[in-house]
Amino acid sequence: MTTTADIGAAAVPALAARTADVGGSPVREILALTARPEVISFAGGLPAPELFDAEGIRAAYDAVLRESPRQVLQYSTTDGDPSLRTAVAARLTTRGLPTDPADLLITGGSQQGLSLLASALLEPGDTVLVEDPSYLAALQCFGLAAARIIPVPTDEDGIMPDALDALVAAERPKLLYLVPNFQNPTGRTLSLARRQAVAEVAARRGLWIVEDDPYGELRFNGEPVQWIAGCAGAEDRTVLLSSFSKVMAPGLRLGWLRAPAALRRACVIAKQAADLHTSTIDQAAAARYLADSDLDAHLATVRDAYRERRDALLAGLADALPAGSSWNRPDGGMFLWARLSSGRDATVLLRQAVAHNVAYVPGAPFFAGAPDPATLRLSFTTHTPSEIADGLNRLAKALR
């Protein structure tokens, strides 16, 4: 019998270079580090599990399995369950963005939607503009597509249109990616005037806009702001992404994208190559849940809880962070952005925090450009106000 030892074993071919160039998620690594039950973690961008409507979701699964098991356990179409697309289109239309079910593609979470867009739009070396700081998983996605990622300057109100205009003129990017509502990681919301300015730049310069909106229905204060997809000039060049993860349950892994027809078709082809279609039974159950349950009433309960938790975090930050630190007050979402006083490094200090059984996410990994080491992201959703107060006391001791 001949073995590889007899003939000599050749080295296997190398991995694709892009996999070596794109690192793992520091947020996921921190979550693993802080998984101990005694740690009060402000690190994860997780919905509060005790607020999931488990009974309503279970009833939806029971109903579709009882009534149409042969259909919901079978292969499905790539575009998505017609009933689910109809329900999503109706919600968008009611919220001010006229949408037909045919405008939508159901995805495995909005993260898959982002990956499909990268496959459909980006060649290696294409330029992508992002907010600075930006959503970390988007940076990973564009990095894996071998795109050239350039940050657009931001201030407390989000992306700066004049800086965007100058960068588009100079760098000729293919797309701009942004999270306009309660942005991850900063919690900032882009004003209507700036959304209109972004739409105008995209129309005048020639640019795709990817508008990622997983948090828009988690508003605690103020009135909703029009989507960029509904602004004049952006209608034919904006892709709107969203997800059921923050409003129903992330374990469903259900999201959707709304895009102009030609791009949507390209995303359908990319999805066929990736997974054929999103889980049939999960889509059917989500559609049944939307038909039988009152999602808006559920969201009202979630918003009330998150508002109380945000307020508890805001109330204790002055005593928890070093003198001279600053932070914002988000009107919704899941995150708050803070900056420690000058000279402090949030990444270095995280080790001390974890030693005191409390955690946060350093801000540095969220920057596509030069990072600000003093920044950090705090999530307020997964702990009660009393637990948040306890966590802030631990953080104060760790940062002294």
Side-chain angles (χ1 to χ4, degrees):
M1 177 178 176
T2 302
T3 68
T4 54
D6 297 323
I7 61 176
V12 298
L15 300 177
R18 62 181 179 272
T19 63
D21 294 337
V22 179
S25 168
V27 176
R28 296 295 166 186
E29 293 165 5
I30 291 170
L31 290 179
L33 179 67
T34 61
R36 294 176 287 120
E38 64 270 23
V39 175
I40 295 177
S41 179
F42 300 118
L46 308 177
E50 73 277 11
L51 298 177
F52 295 153
D53 183 11
E55 291 301 315
I57 293 172
R58 183 175 67 180
Y61 276 94
D62 287 346
V64 298
L65 281 169
R66 182 177 61 252
E67 296 170 8
S68 52
R70 294 184 180 184
Q71 288 74 39
V72 302
L73 296 175
Q74 185 58 277
Y75 283 114
S76 184
T77 60
T78 303
D79 300 74
D81 184 310
S83 296
L84 184 57
R85 286 189 290 147
T86 296
V88 172
R91 288 187 67 81
L92 287 172
T93 300
T94 298
R95 295 172 62 199
L97 186 65
T99 301
D100 188 271
D103 297 331
L104 301 170
L105 169 63
I106 302 298
T107 60
S110 62
Q111 186 65 31
Q112 188 192 44
L114 196 56
S115 295
L116 297 178
L117 288 167
S119 296
L121 286 174
L122 298 178
E123 304 284 359
D126 278 347
T127 299
V128 173
L129 299 184
V130 299
E131 299 160 292
D132 205 30
S134 184
Y135 174 46
L136 184 58
L139 299 181
Q140 284 184 302
C141 178
F142 298 137
L144 200 60
R148 176 171 169 255
I149 304 171
I150 296 180
V152 182
T154 61
D155 59 19
E156 290 305 310
D157 296 315
I159 198 168
M160 302 169 71
D162 289 346
L164 171 66
D165 191 29
L167 279 170
V168 175
E171 304 293 345
R172 301 183 64 81
K174 185 166 282 185
L175 68 84
L176 165 68
Y177 170 81
L178 40 71
V179 183
N181 292 315
F182 321 123
Q183 192 237 18
N184 183 359
T186 65
R188 298 167 180 163
T189 294
L190 197 64
S191 69
L192 177 59
R194 289 198 180 189
R195 294 177 194 221
Q196 292 169 335
V198 167
E200 189 276 331
V201 169
R204 176 165 46 84
R205 298 284 190 187
L207 181 69
W208 283 105
I209 301 169
V210 178
E211 181 178 15
D212 199 354
D213 186 33
Y215 311 107
E217 293 193 272
L218 300 179
R219 174 174 285 278
F220 318 144
N221 303 110
E223 295 298 319
V225 186
Q226 182 184 36
W227 283 290
I228 297 171
C231 292
E235 301 93 341
D236 65 343
R237 63 194 62 236
T238 301
V239 182
L240 179 63
L241 297 173
S242 194
S243 168
F244 289 107
S245 293
K246 309 305 187 295
V247 300
M248 199 178 294
L252 293 171
R253 302 313 303 135
L254 288 174
W256 46 264
L257 67 79
R258 177 189 185 274
L263 178 54
R264 188 178 64 257
R265 177 58 186 165
C267 289
V268 169
I269 294 171
K271 183 169 172 61
Q272 289 171 349
D275 66 359
L276 299 183
H277 64 83
T278 299
S279 164
T280 310
I281 187 170
D282 293 336
Q283 292 186 72
R288 186 59 176 261
Y289 180 86
L290 291 171
D292 292 352
S293 300
D294 189 340
L295 179 59
D296 291 326
H298 171 68
L299 282 171
T301 300
V302 172
R303 285 192 293 263
D304 286 345
Y306 287 179
R307 180 190 298 109
E308 185 180 24
R309 296 174 188 195
R310 177 207 60 181
D311 292 347
L313 184 60
L314 288 169
L317 279 178
D319 293 327
L321 300 185
S325 299
S326 58
W327 54 89
N328 63 348
R329 181 185 179 87
D331 288 329
M334 303 172 68
F335 306 109
L336 179 150
W337 189 244
R339 189 178 191 282
L340 302 177
S341 49
S342 181
R344 296 179 184 261
D345 188 319
T347 301
V348 172
L349 291 170
L350 178 61
R351 186 178 300 273
Q352 295 175 209
V354 173
H356 285 78
N357 289 326
V358 66
Y360 55 81
V361 176
F366 296 97
F367 288 87
D372 183 346
T375 56
L376 62 147
R377 189 192 77 177
L378 297 162
S379 178
F380 47 78
T381 53
T382 54
H383 293 289
T384 65
S386 62
E387 290 169 339
I388 288 171
D390 187 9
L392 290 174
N393 287 334
R394 299 180 191 185
L395 188 61
K397 294 174 183 176
L399 297 182
R400 283 176 188 152

